Amino acid sequence: MTTAGEIMLDFFNDSKRHTEVKLTASECDYATWPTHRKMLSDEIRCTRFREALLRVVPRGGTVLDVGAGTGILSIFAAQAGARKVYAVEETLMALEARELVARNGLAGRIEVLHSPIEDLVSSEKVDVIVSEWLGGFAIDENMLPPVLLARDRWLKSGGAMIPNRVDVWMAPCFLPGFEEKRRFWLGKPYGVDMALVAERMYHELFYEQHDLSPEHLMSEAAVLWTIDVLSETVERSRKPFKAESIFIARKRGEINGLAAWFSADLGGGVLISTDPASPANHWGRVFLPLTRPLTVQQGNTISVNMACHPLGPLATRSKWTVMVKRIRSTD
């Protein structure tokens, strides 16, 4: 049996999920405080990045912060002893970053540059580049290419990237909450045929699935992609990420989707993960639904084809197919 899903996603205008939206998505969301409050209040995210910067930034060194947002990572870099930090932010949040930096007495060491990183020419090479470019399953916001472009232009030979390695993970799963929603919309609520609502759900990525736990996974997880941020090329990062993976069902049950997450080495021995057993963070897991549940028996082979196509700034198109190969009885 086979089932599949497909979504074209502009992260901040998903009413146009089946078209490539020309809107600059960063100006619609990353320029607003609600998004940044969510990230700033994520203590796991902030403390891990701060710890990595404290360990990696050389005293008196230089740092580039790509997509600086409010400037929090730039402030951490200054706390780590950086002599000079270039905080690059293309949205109007750059103005807020300048104020936050000034209020913390760091205006003399942190220079906030209100510009896309692609438009800047490096005034000096830096020791460290930090960027929190990670989407729900790392690459899905298509923020990696400009970070790598900055690396090629700004980073000293032997310099460090934070993060320096990212693994994207996946596992087939059964998420009860999704099934409850599916049954609701298919059950003619209020006496109205609302199957259309359920059908549209199959073409969505469900982010921040904090209730997706280890017991919901129907197999061991596998790495789809590994990104070595020091060696990955800009050209490669602009091409589709594709993977074919084989999973073995570890118990009898149903699969109604795929769970995706990432783990990252931030440097200096500091790790962060959004896996189902990880401490709570703002990312959670991503749930990729199937059009209908698939029944599996313990030992069944589950084949998954996954692709994430970059479309433009903060826009990707994802496709996934799941096939279950059953074990035939010899009785």
Side-chain angles (χ1 to χ4, degrees):
M1 296 181 67
T2 304
T3 186
E6 178 176 341
I7 181 170
M8 182 179 293
L9 182 62
D10 181 281
F11 278 84
F12 311 111
N13 196 336
D14 62 6
S15 64
K16 297 185 179 180
R17 63 176 64 90
H18 293 294
T19 61
E20 183 176 351
V21 179
K22 301 301 182 181
L23 184 65
T24 303
S26 58
E27 290 293 345
C28 299
D29 197 271
Y30 281 120
T32 64
W33 273 109
T35 296
H36 287 282
R37 278 196 296 269
K38 182 187 297 184
M39 293 189 290
L40 291 170
S41 62
D42 183 343
E43 294 186 19
I44 296 294
R45 170 188 180 269
C46 292
T47 57
R48 297 285 171 84
F49 269 87
R50 183 174 186 269
E51 183 63 27
L53 285 160
L54 289 172
R55 296 185 185 187
V56 173
V57 174
R59 183 69 58 174
T62 51
V63 176
L64 171 66
D65 181 1
V66 181
T70 60
I72 187 64
L73 299 186
S74 296
I75 291 172
F76 292 162
Q79 291 176 343
R83 166 183 59 82
K84 180 73 174 184
V85 182
Y86 300 95
V88 180
E89 173 57 42
E90 69 172 287
T91 76
L92 291 174
M93 190 54 63
L95 306 181
E96 304 283 40
R98 283 179 184 149
E99 182 169 348
L100 189 64
V101 165
R103 289 192 182 194
N104 282 272
L106 294 169
R109 293 165 59 195
I110 300 175
E111 182 179 353
V112 178
L113 302 172
H114 184 193
S115 170
I117 186 66
E118 296 90 337
D119 293 347
L120 295 178
V121 177
S122 60
S123 56
E124 66 173 320
K125 297 289 186 178
V126 299
D127 298 290
V128 178
I129 294 178
V130 62
S131 180
E132 201 279 81
W133 52 268
L134 304 165
F137 55 94
I139 59 168
D140 48 299
E141 293 187 15
N142 197 28
M143 294 175 67
L144 179 58
V147 174
L148 300 182
L149 181 66
R151 177 203 63 195
D152 293 346
R153 292 179 178 177
W154 290 72
L155 191 63
K156 291 179 181 178
S157 176
M161 298 290 294
I162 300 176
N164 61 52
R165 174 192 166 111
V166 177
D167 292 313
V168 180
W169 297 79
M170 178 168 279
C173 68
F174 183 82
L175 188 60
F178 179 81
E179 212 54 40
E180 292 171 7
K181 293 173 184 176
R182 189 205 306 262
R183 286 195 296 267
F184 176 79
W185 296 118
L186 293 178
K188 290 191 175 181
Y190 323 115
V192 178
D193 181 346
M194 292 195 179
L196 177 66
V197 181
E199 292 164 8
R200 293 296 181 261
M201 288 171 58
Y202 309 149
H203 299 280
E204 295 181 33
L205 294 180
F206 290 83
Y207 283 84
E208 300 179 26
Q209 297 300 298
H210 302 288
D211 58 342
L212 204 165
S213 304
E215 61 265 26
H216 297 135
L217 303 185
M218 295 299 292
S219 75
E220 297 299 320
V223 174
L224 294 184
W225 305 293
T226 294
I227 298 108
D228 184 325
V229 187
L230 277 169
S231 62
E232 183 84 359
T233 66
V234 176
E235 180 182 7
R236 168 64 191 87
S237 71
R238 289 173 173 164
K239 294 179 179 179
F241 284 81
K242 298 180 179 181
E244 297 181 7
S245 297
I246 300 295
F247 303 87
I248 304 299
R250 61 186 180 188
K251 58 185 176 181
R252 179 182 179 181
E254 289 185 321
I255 298 167
N256 65 355
L258 303 168
W261 62 90
F262 70 84
S263 60
D265 183 342
L266 302 183
V270 180
L271 307 176
I272 190 169
S273 177
T274 63
D275 70 84
S278 65
N281 54 71
H282 83 281
W283 287 285
R285 267 64 64 197
V286 182
F287 178 71
L288 297 77
L290 303 184
T291 55
R292 63 184 183 279
L294 294 177
T295 301
V296 296
Q297 304 292 333
Q298 185 177 7
N300 282 170
T301 297
I302 306 165
S303 300
V304 174
N305 287 328
M306 175 68 187
C308 184
H309 298 258
L311 297 179
L314 293 170
T316 59
R317 179 175 181 261
S318 293
K319 298 177 66 175
W320 57 96
T321 303
V322 178
M323 182 172 66
V324 175
K325 183 177 182 180
R326 306 197 184 287
I327 300 175
R328 293 187 177 181
S329 173
T330 57
D331 295 341

